Structure formats: structure tokens, C-alpha cells
């Protein structure tokens, strides 16, 4: 089964909105065995929509269309599909009821407006699928054995409809072809060197398996893909090759697939019944944000101090004035005192401390932009390390936070 | 001038990487007057690359290709382009020098590897353009008055080459057609209601202007686009319509184009020579992260306390045990004491405090998931407000942080 995704919206072509919908859809479709042949991103233009549909229906079995279903005048997808399938609009009572219920639930305090009532009109030949989070329903069309699915462009509405309705419906249509994938998450090694270390293993991979390198700031991900008709055979082939790889680079692998370092660390803390606090300078709260983005993190995360100003390092974290004066804020000595300080202040088992120069200003000859000191305080020890990242503020913050979480992970598993 | 972007990479079609490159390129191209007709996202497949090139060269003047230039075996863009233009690979000495310099600079501690030396091979008919951040050069081809530009897929490498080399080169080729755009950033009003409020204004817009609604969690953006040949006339037309809109919805507009609330707030604090601290519970550091993502924020941001556990609210923020017991952690009383507490602790002029239930657990009948209390302490006052957001943890954190920054903004301008 092959699919093509058509993402509609002028905002995508002028770069004001990143097309996260297409990635989300691609990921979910692959997971149920539907490969994505192409993603076409086009504007709110009737001509472009028709051209993309015509091109796609010659190549794909399933065409997913997102966007252009809003209540405002620039949204033309529904009108265009109605013409394309040579049909007319009818009021769908179920959808109208859902829109009324949504207005009542959200307490928007007003009756359903005329513009929102129009959202309940759908092409006569489609199956309308309720949108639990918004006013635009999804629409399922079938023609010449092809399926066309039109979805709203607001990400969480689209995701909710896909998860609750469309993916189960698509799963039923599938037969035969499977894709198994495993993504191996590594840290501490660059793409080129990693590629040399695993070159022999890569060369001996069976033809049904392929490998891709997906570098990101702070990590390299390796994606292993197996394609074929026998799901069980594919899975064991994948597992066997994965086990070989784990033998070659155990020190670099920290997780798989959608694992995040913050969730991996959270799980380890839960297992140990251990608690954590943070003391952040250059990362400015980003380490804590990652940690608390994990649901249930209140079970192990007590809190943190963002000591952006040196006075906060002195007063709240009890870094000694002599240390700050002698070694500076970005130093092994200061970052270790920060970690110990917050560990004692919040009475936790573990603490993370980060102090560095994120840029674009503040660098010196001895401590250039990108210099980051990280310390991890454990129940009976303290470890610290210096990293030299690049010149980009946002990437330095992200890399520093990932390095800090990885250092904590290493302490938790040893 | 019309362009088409071709994004190459299997990782994009299985949804493991979001195509931020295409949005970035689209934004930059529009800014210099090149509109983007379509974005085609395809796999690392020779057939798909050739098909996309053939389709695109009939419609666009400029074709930008990203991805597939890495040193590893799955990257086939360069090979495919060499065949497509019926040419052969030659070593480019400039590029090789650049790769050697990069190895020396980064202190990777090893000689240039064979696999990286191959990165200096480029098709004989192209102009190779140095990549200041990586080993894959960009390549500029011309054929039948069309321009083809192949760029590496690593975002910061692609962006650096575009900014330093390609955009200036493209600017030189442009003549005549202009696009002016202005995006108006609003908060505190939903898309449908906003659309009704400004409906009359929208209807009277001249034909050269078009309006689009771009909703996001926590805000609605309005994009006004003017297209035509006379840049000066377009700009004054746009300005005139913008002024009308500012009269209709002054209370909802907080910024324009690429403004961020954190930068707007930062600028206001700088103007007032005022300082800021944060006390975060449910947002877990995200408000502070936004504030410190702005370069130069250390001039006004002293720091913060993340009081995830109630003991931190008591011990560090001096919230009274009676308040916590009587009203709970998510209450007007507690959040106001948190704001005052951190304001005094860090001796700042302003303070933000947030306490709420981000979900997915922790909701009650009286305080459902999505209940967020926010307080802003000013030099001589304190204001607080309760918000009821949805059920999604990540969105609740994001919306709470934006609401907090917007409340601070309102205090700073009044």
C-alpha cells in the first residue's frame, strides 16, 4: 500500500508554519504498513489542488490531504473537493450536533455562529468523520479503488481524528506488505566516525534491510528498515542485526525509536526511588523543561534554581564568593558547587548543574562561546565535564541539556 | 520568479525528521521576492529525484534541492545530479581545502578520512560553493535559463550557505516582481470570533491584498500579502490596511512577523531598566527557557525557582503553609505568594509565577486538567488570572507560558 500526502496551505509555502503534520502522518502510516511515496506541499489554490490529486491518484492507493478546512474565506479545500468529485454540499446533522456540543463544552458563551454552522456542510459522496477537538470534520472519499482522506490542518485536531478513527479504518484495508523499523539513538560520536566503526556490519546487511543516518544537534540516530511480506521473519531479521550492532557500539547507544533522554532518565530515577534537582545557568530552565515535559515527573523532580545572575549562585546555591572570583562562573569548581548547593537545598539524591557561555556574546580567548561545564551530584560522589560546542545559542542550549541528561543517565546505570 | 523546493531524504517520508528546511527556505525566498510554488518531499531514490526535477523544471525558474549529500552510502543526490546533467565528478581543490580546514578547526584529532575526501568531488558542470559548517558543498547548476541549487540537508549547514552565498546570488538575478507580507500576531481571541470582528475590513481589502488566518496553540496570526510590480506602492497599500486593522483590534495585537513574546517582553524590560524573576510550578522551567532563549536576556533576567514540589514552594518561595493547606497549590492565593516570594528572594522589579495542572493526571472536579493560575508581581502591585486550557500536557505548558508572558507585557506597557 502506497500513500501520498498533500499538505495544503499558503502559510506552508511562505515558511511561516513548519509542516509537522506531514511528518506525524508519515510516521503513523509507516507504523501500520503504509509507505509514503511523496509529500506534496501546495498553496490554497484550486489549480494546484486538482493537479496534485491527478498526479497522486496515478501512483498511490491512499491520498491524505491536510489543511484548508477552516471556517474562513481563504480555505478552499472542501469547495475544490466537491467540484473534483462532481458533487454538492449537504448539511451533516451528526457533525452539526458535534459542533454545537463543542461550543457548549468549551463555554465559548455564544451560540454557534453562521460561519461555524457552515462547517457542518460536507460533499454528498463522502463519509464525514467527527472532529472531537474542532469544527472541521474529516472526510473519507472512495473512487476507483482509491481512498482520499481530507483532514483539518490544525495539528492536534488532525492527530485526534487520525488516532481515533482513520488509522483503525486504514488498518482494516491493509494486507500483505510490512515495514519494520528500528531507530537506534546514539550520543558521543559524529556521523562520519560512527559510519567507519560500523562499516563492516553495514556491508553485510541482508538485502531486505537498509540503514540510514539521521544526525541531529547533539545526537546521531541510525534507522534500520526491513521491508517484505513475512512480518515475523522481518522482525527476527531486524532483531538479529540489532543485537550485532549493540555488540559493536554499546557505549554510544542510549535508547531506541521515540525514546527521549528525559524519559529514559525519568524511568531510571523511578526505578531507584531517587529524586532530582537542577541548578541551571546558561541553559536557563531548558534542562528542567525537558525533565518536566515527561508526564509523572513530579514523582522524582523536586525543582530547581535558575541562577542566571551570579548573585543567585551566591545567595541561593551557596557557591562561595572565592570560587566565583578565582575560577569564574564557567568552571569546574563553580558548577560542582552549584550541583552540591541545589542538592542540599532541595534535599535530593541527584542534582544536575550547568554553567556555560551560550553566546552570541560573552566568549573569551580561554573560554570561547560554546564552552559548557556540567556537573552531576550523586548520593556519594560528584562528576563534572567540560564540552566545547559551537557558536549558535539555541543549539548550544539544546546540546548542553542533552549532554547533562546523558551524564546523569551514565551515573544512574553505573 | 517562481521556485520549487525538492526535499530529499527517506527520514522525511517515515516521519522521523520534520522538514524544517523547506519552511526556512520558503521564508527566505519569499523575503527576496521569489515565491514558492510547491514543496516536494521525496525519498533517497534516483527515480523520484529525476521525476521531481523533470516536473519542476517545466514550472519553476529556480529549483532548490536539499538533502542526500552526506558522506554515507544512503546519500545519492550528487550521483543522481551528475547523471541527470550527463557529466562526471571532479575533485574541487577549494572544497578539499575547506574540508581539511574544518577537520583542523574542530580538532577532530584525525586526518581527513577517505569518506570525507570524497565530499570534495563535485559534478564538472556545477559551481561548487563552500560549506563553512560541514563537509558537503552546495552546488549551483544552470541549464536552459533555469537554476538548480543542491544544498546539504543538515539545517544549520544549509542555512549558513544560503545566508552567506546563495541568497545574495539569487537576489542579483531577480527583477520586477515583489511580494510584501506582514504577519500580525494576536492573543486572547479565537479564529472564528476574530474573523467576525474583522469581516468588514477583510471584505473591503483591495484585490492586490489577501488575508490568511494562521492559528497556533495560544495565538492566532493574521498574514496580509500584497503582490505586484511596484514595490513602493505595495508597501504603502499594506501599511494603510494595517493601520485600519490596528484601529479595529488594538487590544489583541502584541507583535508582528517574527516577533516572539519573549523578545517583546525583553525589549520592554530593557527600556524600563527593570529586572525579572520567575517562580514556576506546572510550566517546569519553560517560561524561563523562553525568556533566556533571547540573546542578551542576562541584562534583565536574574533567575528563577522551579517549585515543582510543594516543599520548594514553602522553603524557597516562602509560601505560607496555611495558604497551601486552605487553597491548594493551584490557587490565586498560592500563585500570588509565589510571585511575591521570588520577587523578594531575587530582589527584582517584576516576577512571574505559574501554578496549574498540566495533565494528564492531577485534575479534580473543581480544578480540572488545564486549570492554570498566573500571577505577575510589579514594583507596586500584583495581578493574577485563571485560565482553563485543554487536556494536552505539552500544549497546556506552552499556552500557560505564552499567557504569562502576555500578562507581563500588559503590565509593562500600562
Amino acid at each position: 500500500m502506497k500513500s501520498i500526502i498533500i499538505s495544503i496551505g499558503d502559510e506552508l509555502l511562505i515558511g511561516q508554519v513548519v509542516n509537522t503534520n506531514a511528518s506525524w502522518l508519515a510516521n503513523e502510516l509507516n507504523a501500520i504498513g503504509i509507505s509514503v511515496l511523496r509529500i506534496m506541499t501546495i498553496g490554497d489554490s484550486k489549480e494546484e489542488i486538482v493537479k496534485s490529486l491527478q498526479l497522486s491518484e496515478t501512483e498511490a492507493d491512499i491520498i491524505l490531504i491536510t489543511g484548508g478546512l477552516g471556517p474562513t474565506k481563504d480555505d478552499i479545500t472542501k469547495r475544490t473537493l466537491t467540484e473534483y468529485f462532481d458533487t454538492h454540499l449537504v448539511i451533516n446533522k451528526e457533525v452539526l450536533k458535534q459542533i454545537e456540543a463543542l461550543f457548549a463544552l468549551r463555554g465559548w458563551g455564544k451560540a454557534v455562529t453562521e460561519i461555524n454552522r457552515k462547517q457542518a456542510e460536507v460533499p454528498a459522496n463522502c463519509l464525514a468523520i467527527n472532529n472531537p477537538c474542532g469544527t472541521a470534520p474529516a472526510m473519507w472519499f472512495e473512487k476507483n479503488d482509491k481512498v482520499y482522506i481530507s483532514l483539518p490542518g490544525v495539528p492536534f485536531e488532525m492527530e485526534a481524528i487520525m488516532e481515533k478513527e482513520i488509522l483503525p479504518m486504514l488498518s482494516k484495508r491493509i494486507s500483505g506488505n510490512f515495514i519494520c523499523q528500528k531507530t537506534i539513538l546514539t550520543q558521543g560520536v559524529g556521523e562520519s566516525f560512527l559510519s567507519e566503526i560500523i562499516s563492516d556490519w553495514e556491508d553485510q546487511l541482508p538485502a531486505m534491510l537498509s540503514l540510514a543516518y539521521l544526525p541531529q544537534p547533539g545526537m546521531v540516530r541510525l534507522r534500520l528498515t526491513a521491508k517484505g511480506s513475512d512480518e515475523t521473519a522481518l522482525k527476527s531479521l531486524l532483531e538479529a542485526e540489532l543485537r550485532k550492532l549493540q555488540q559493536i557500539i554499546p557505549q554510544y547507544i542510549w535508547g531506541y525509536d521515540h525514546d527521549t533522554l528525559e524519559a529514559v532518565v525519568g524511568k531510571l530515577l523511578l526505578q531507584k526511588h531517587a529524586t532530582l534537582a537542577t541548578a541551571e545557568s546558561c541553559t536557563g530552565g531548558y534542562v528542567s523543561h525537558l525533565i518536566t515535559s515527561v508526564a509523572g515527573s513530579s514523582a522524582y523532580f523536586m525543582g530547581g534554581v535558575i541562577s542566571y545572575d551570579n548573585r543567585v549562585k551566591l545567595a541561593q546555591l551557596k557557591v562561595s564568593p572565592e570560587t566565583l572570583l578565582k575560577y569564574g562562573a564557567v568552571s569546574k569548581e563553580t558548577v560542582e558547587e552549584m550541583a552540591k548547593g541545589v542538592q542540599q537545598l532541595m534535599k535530593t539524591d541527584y542534582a544536575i548543574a550547568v554553567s556555560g557561555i551560550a553566546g552570541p556574546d560573552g566568549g573569551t580567548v580561554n573560554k570561547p562561546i560554546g564552552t559548557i561545564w556540567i556537573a552531576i551530584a550523586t548520593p556519594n560522589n560528584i562528576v563534572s565535564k567540560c564540552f566545547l560546542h559551537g557558536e549558535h545559542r539555541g543549539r548550544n542550549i539544546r546540546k548542553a541539556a542533552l549532554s547533562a541528561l546523558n551524564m546523569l543517565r551514565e551515573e544512574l546505570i553505573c
Side-chain angles (χ1 to χ4, degrees), chain A residues 26-338:
Chain A
N27 192 51
E28 297 296 321
L29 291 168
N30 274 283
I32 63 166
I34 298 171
S35 63
V36 178
L37 187 63
R38 195 183 303 134
I39 300 163
M40 301 188 69
T41 307
I42 59 174
D44 292 294
S45 140
K46 184 178 148 184
E47 190 193 339
E48 278 293 309
I49 296 173
V50 170
K51 195 190 286 176
S52 303
L53 286 171
Q54 283 167 344
L55 181 68
S56 302
E57 65 194 8
T58 63
E59 297 175 312
D61 309 293
I62 298 160
I63 298 162
L64 291 111
I65 306 153
T66 61
L69 298 183
T72 50
K73 292 165 194 179
D74 53 316
D75 289 312
I76 62 160
T77 302
K78 192 161 70 181
R79 278 206 304 276
T80 305
L81 287 170
T82 308
E83 282 183 43
Y84 189 75
F85 290 116
D86 195 16
T87 182
H88 58 280
L89 291 170
V90 290
I91 281 268
N92 184 298
K93 284 185 185 153
E94 281 298 308
V95 174
L96 185 60
K97 238 189 269 172
Q98 165 69 13
I99 293 173
E100 287 166 349
L102 195 73
F103 264 65
L105 178 78
R106 293 279 170 89
W108 284 337
K110 303 189 185 174
V112 176
T113 56
E114 190 47 41
I115 208 168
N116 275 311
R117 198 178 299 274
K118 279 206 173 146
Q119 293 286 78
E121 291 180 355
V122 299
N125 68 328
C126 85
L127 175 68
I129 296 164
N130 270 340
N131 177 346
C133 310
T135 57
M139 298 174 284
W140 175 294
F141 304 85
E142 295 193 21
K143 191 182 162 187
N144 301 334
D145 223 27
K146 309 272 179 185
V147 177
Y148 305 72
I149 301 159
S150 167
L151 295 154
V154 180
F156 70 93
E157 297 183 15
M158 183 279 290
E159 290 170 18
I161 301 173
M162 283 296 291
E163 281 171 354
K164 285 186 191 162
E165 308 284 349
I166 310 281
L167 286 169
M169 288 166 75
L170 285 174
S171 274
K172 278 194 198 149
R173 285 183 79 99
I174 310 294
S175 64
N177 270 322
F178 292 99
I179 298 178
C180 301
Q181 294 184 316
K182 192 87 185 171
T183 303
I184 299 102
L185 309 168
T186 74
Q187 209 173 43
V189 61
E191 184 185 8
S192 309
F193 294 128
L194 184 59
S195 142
E196 294 192 11
I197 298 169
I198 65 174
S199 176
D200 290 344
W201 170 79
E202 193 179 348
D203 287 339
Q204 61 82 51
L205 283 175
M208 292 156 88
L209 286 186
S210 62
L211 182 75
Y213 290 76
L214 315 172
Q216 272 190 337
M219 67 172 87
V220 177
R221 297 177 300 158
L222 296 170
R223 196 194 60 237
L224 205 48
T225 303
K227 280 189 195 184
S229 57
D230 183 345
E231 193 178 9
T232 318
L234 280 181
K235 277 188 179 159
S236 41
L237 195 62
L238 199 70
E239 281 301 317
E241 291 302 332
L242 181 62
R243 276 193 300 274
K244 290 187 205 164
L245 183 65
Q246 286 162 339
Q247 302 287 320
I248 306 168
I249 50 163
Q251 73 277 35
Y252 299 130
I253 298 176
W254 61 264
Y256 301 92
D257 297 326
H258 292 289
D259 283 353
T260 61
L261 259 172
E262 52 273 24
V264 167
V265 161
K267 212 177 276 177
L268 290 168
L269 286 165
L270 271 181
Q271 281 167 9
K272 289 205 165 209
H273 303 287
T275 55
L276 175 68
T278 53
E280 300 187 59
S281 190
C282 68
T283 44
Y286 187 63
V287 175
S288 309
H289 164 57
L290 290 180
I291 292 166
T292 57
S293 67
V294 179
S297 49
S298 58
Y300 48 83
F301 184 62
M302 293 300 104
V305 171
I306 300 161
S307 55
Y308 223 55
D309 193 89
N310 278 346
R311 281 166 286 185
V312 179
K313 294 186 185 75
L314 295 167
Q316 268 74 59
L317 295 176
K318 312 294 176 202
V319 173
S320 86
E322 294 74 31
T323 303
L324 264 185
L325 197 67
K326 190 166 172 194
Y327 304 101
V330 180
S331 65
K332 177 185 173 72
E333 291 75 11
T334 296
V335 82
E336 292 194 350
E337 288 188 27
M338 286 169 63

Side-chain angles (χ1 to χ4, degrees), chain A residues 5 7-8 12 17-24 39-41 66:
Chain A
I5 297 170
S7 303
I8 301 172
L12 298 165
V17 169
V18 175
N19 193 354
T20 54
N21 279 347
S23 325
W24 189 91
I39 300 163
M40 301 188 69
T41 307
T66 61

